[in-house]
Amino acid sequence: MFSGCGGLSLGITEAARALGRPAEHVIAVDLFPEALQVFALNFPEVRPVGERIEHVVDGSYDDALTSQERKLRREAGDIDILVAGPPCQGHSDLNNHTRRNDPRNSLYFHMVRCAEVLRPRHVIIENVPGVIHDRSGVVERTTAALADLGYFVDGHVFQAATLGVPQRRRRHLLVASKEHRLSLASVAGSYSADPRSMEWACGDLVGQEKTVCFDSASTPSERNQERIDYLFDHDLYELPDAQRPDCHRLKEHSYKSVYGRLRWTDPVPTITSGFGSMGQGRFVHAGQRRTLTPHEAARLQFFPDFFRFDGVARGALQTMIGNAVPSKLSYVVALELLR
């Protein structure tokens, strides 16, 4: 549910493969057509559903199943893992206007109804760390309801960099299982790894740029190209305020990383859908006078090169890659759930 292009599903697939088990993806639900296109390209057995979650699961928790829900249960069959990444904008710290009090936050609780309908053995729900501060207590309510359905439930904020992902991305996972009483903090500790750098992830792609959008950077405005050149000409990683637009230059601000340059030797900050613009974050390449290509961003999101993004335009690529979750997070959890 809320499948995106399949980052979480990729991690579960690779965990199953590591345990010598096949993985079959039955249904993927998302409103982003290009993301469903990429999901189906990589998991061709799936049935993509481009509908709102309220239409797919249209009943209320603890009520009798609707005819639509009975049909969904029949079509889905016996489910091992239900995985979901509800839209996170309502919880994100980047959303200063409505975070922690956003109607989209209620989509989180729809996963309880999905679990009630599909009766999976395990449930994985991911979101940004801010979800735990939602004013309606959506995490607490979801936890309590899943426990009432017979699941052992735990939540934890994972730091992707401590799992070997070359990115300082933090995500909250809520995991429910009818078979395992997991401590997610212990899982994170068991799979801890040394931080990996930007160079580890995509250093080999330098010089491999192409004209196709997956392997080419977006074209900056003339002024932003001047800013990129300034960083390199002065061997800087932070753009001085004097070189920034008036909204930064003329007042105090906390956006130090915006317009900044990445470092080869460090994990990168959180990749977002704005990675093609230096004005959206620290997205200037460490060694090239440009921003990141979608291929580089995908590598930094832990997508392997065998994962296909064929035939997708730049804007859609940036959105689906920026919104994805590094597959290593679901990989380590699924390894424990599927044992």
Side-chain angles (χ1 to χ4, degrees):
M1 304 297 170
F2 313 102
S3 67
C5 64
L8 289 171
S9 298
L10 174 64
I12 294 169
T13 299
E14 291 304 301
R17 188 200 307 273
L19 297 170
R21 300 178 62 179
E24 178 186 4
H25 300 271
V26 180
I27 296 172
V29 178
D30 204 282
L31 289 177
F32 187 8
E34 290 89 345
L36 280 181
Q37 171 189 326
V38 169
F39 194 108
L41 182 66
N42 289 278
F43 308 108
E45 76 280 10
V46 79
R47 179 168 74 87
V49 178
E51 296 184 31
R52 300 183 66 86
I53 190 67
E54 301 95 320
H55 299 160
V56 177
V57 180
D58 58 347
S60 299
Y61 173 61
D62 208 26
D63 284 349
L65 269 60
T66 68
S67 59
Q68 166 65 23
E69 291 170 335
R70 291 194 298 271
K71 178 183 177 185
L72 176 67
R73 178 186 286 182
R74 289 194 302 270
E75 292 177 348
D78 189 25
I79 298 297
D80 290 295
I81 301 180
L82 169 66
V83 59
C88 66
Q89 288 85 354
H91 313 298
S92 174
D93 287 338
L94 296 175
N95 179 9
N96 292 323
H97 299 291
T98 64
R99 71 172 183 262
R100 303 172 184 169
N101 192 25
D102 191 299
R104 287 170 295 188
N105 298 356
S106 65
L107 295 175
Y108 208 93
F109 199 70
H110 278 283
M111 292 308 96
V112 175
R113 182 60 171 179
C114 288
E116 190 175 28
V117 171
L118 295 173
R119 298 181 294 193
R121 293 175 178 83
H122 317 288
V123 182
I124 301 174
I125 308 174
E126 69 78 27
N127 217 294
V128 295
V131 69
I132 61 178
H133 302 297
D134 172 70
R135 288 175 181 169
S136 69
V138 67
V139 172
E140 292 82 358
R141 291 188 298 120
T142 301
T143 298
L146 287 170
D148 285 345
L149 292 175
Y151 290 94
F152 303 115
V153 190
D154 193 31
H156 182 69
V157 175
F158 284 80
Q159 166 58 267
T162 65
L163 297 176
V165 177
Q167 181 186 171
R168 292 188 290 271
R169 194 183 197 98
R170 300 170 68 246
R171 305 299 286 190
H172 179 269
L173 293 188
L174 189 70
V175 177
S177 174
K178 291 194 172 181
E179 300 173 0
H180 302 289
R181 191 187 294 271
L182 292 185
S183 164
L184 294 183
S186 296
V187 171
S190 297
Y191 292 95
S192 63
D194 292 336
R196 286 168 165 159
S197 67
M198 177 186 179
E199 186 173 21
W200 175 88
C202 52
D204 63 310
L205 295 179
V206 173
Q208 304 298 315
E209 296 89 350
K210 302 173 184 176
T211 56
V212 295
C213 63
F214 188 63
D215 282 291
S216 65
S218 60
T219 302
S221 67
E222 181 178 350
R223 185 68 185 94
N224 275 349
Q225 185 62 60
E226 291 174 355
R227 292 181 175 116
I228 292 173
D229 290 337
Y230 188 95
L231 289 171
F232 281 87
D233 291 344
H234 295 81
D235 194 24
L236 296 175
Y237 290 87
E238 316 291 341
L239 190 70
D241 281 346
Q243 299 296 321
R244 291 169 176 254
D246 288 351
C247 59
H248 287 189
R249 182 172 57 84
L250 299 180
K251 64 180 182 181
E252 290 292 323
H253 65 86
S254 60
Y255 308 117
K256 301 298 183 183
S257 65
V258 177
Y259 293 97
R261 177 181 162 196
L262 296 162
R263 295 178 183 271
W264 271 129
T265 56
D266 296 338
V268 302
T270 299
I271 296 295
T272 72
S273 59
F275 67 77
S277 169
M278 73 177 308
Q280 297 292 312
R282 187 184 299 278
F283 297 131
V284 176
H285 193 280
Q288 303 286 302
R289 296 180 182 230
R290 56 172 176 79
T291 53
L292 296 171
T293 68
H295 194 168
E296 290 164 339
R299 288 268 194 95
L300 294 164
Q301 286 278 56
F302 226 69
F303 282 106
D305 281 356
F306 66 72
F307 196 89
R308 299 169 60 189
F309 291 93
D310 306 7
V312 181
R314 183 181 302 282
L317 277 173
Q318 291 188 182
T319 298
M320 70 178 69
I321 292 171
N323 288 342
V325 181
S327 58
K328 191 66 178 290
L329 275 68
S330 56
Y331 174 82
V332 299
V333 171
L335 276 179
E336 297 301 313
L337 293 176
L338 296 176
R339 290 187 189 280

